[in-house]
Amino acid sequence: RINGFTGAAITRLDILDSFPRLKVCVGYKLDGQTIDYFSSSIATLEKCQPIYEELPGWQVPTTHIRKYEELPPQARQYISRLEELTSCPVNLICVGPEREQTIQRIPIL
């Protein structure tokens, strides 16, 4: 929101390959109210309780995948939900530590 990002990169998506469910923080409870932003105040953050949304995991290896369309449907759903929550498209997805394990979904140049 502050920096006006036009694209994001998700690195090491493969680390999530073994999880049956993934939790994504979608807001916070603060003094009985729900807020949808990350406070810049440490004192406020100390009082916040995260609100999680659970998404299904994919539980299959992704390290060999080189095209977005070949990712498991649950992985694509996870990425799509992150895009919705951040209002920012995911341009790059890395499925391992090596340079060739990068999926360029949306050209960055």
Side-chain angles (χ1 to χ4, degrees), residues 16-64:
L16 303 176
D17 287 354
S18 63
F19 291 93
R21 312 264 324 140
L22 302 170
K23 288 184 176 183
V24 177
C25 183
V26 296
Y28 300 92
K29 284 281 187 193
L30 175 63
D31 298 328
Q33 301 288 327
T34 299
I35 59 172
D36 65 353
Y37 60 90
F38 190 81
S39 177
S40 60
S41 164
I42 296 292
T44 300
L45 286 175
E46 287 176 343
K47 296 188 264 181
C48 288
Q49 293 296 318
I51 300 169
Y52 292 109
E53 178 179 312
E54 283 198 18
L55 298 170
W58 42 95
Q59 296 187 284
V60 294
T62 58
T63 56
H64 65 284

Side-chain angles (χ1 to χ4, degrees), residues 81-102:
R81 185 64 178 129
L82 293 180
E83 289 176 322
E84 288 172 20
L85 291 168
T86 62
S87 299
C88 185
V90 172
N91 296 344
L92 298 174
I93 303 157
C94 298
V95 292
E98 303 301 326
R99 182 181 300 239
E100 59 274 359
Q101 291 177 296
T102 301

Side-chain angles (χ1 to χ4, degrees), residues 68-69 79-80 83 89-93 103-107:
Y68 177 76
E69 299 77 22
I79 292 165
S80 177
E83 289 176 322
V90 172
N91 296 344
L92 298 174
I93 303 157
I103 299 167
Q104 184 171 307
R105 183 168 169 223
I106 301 168

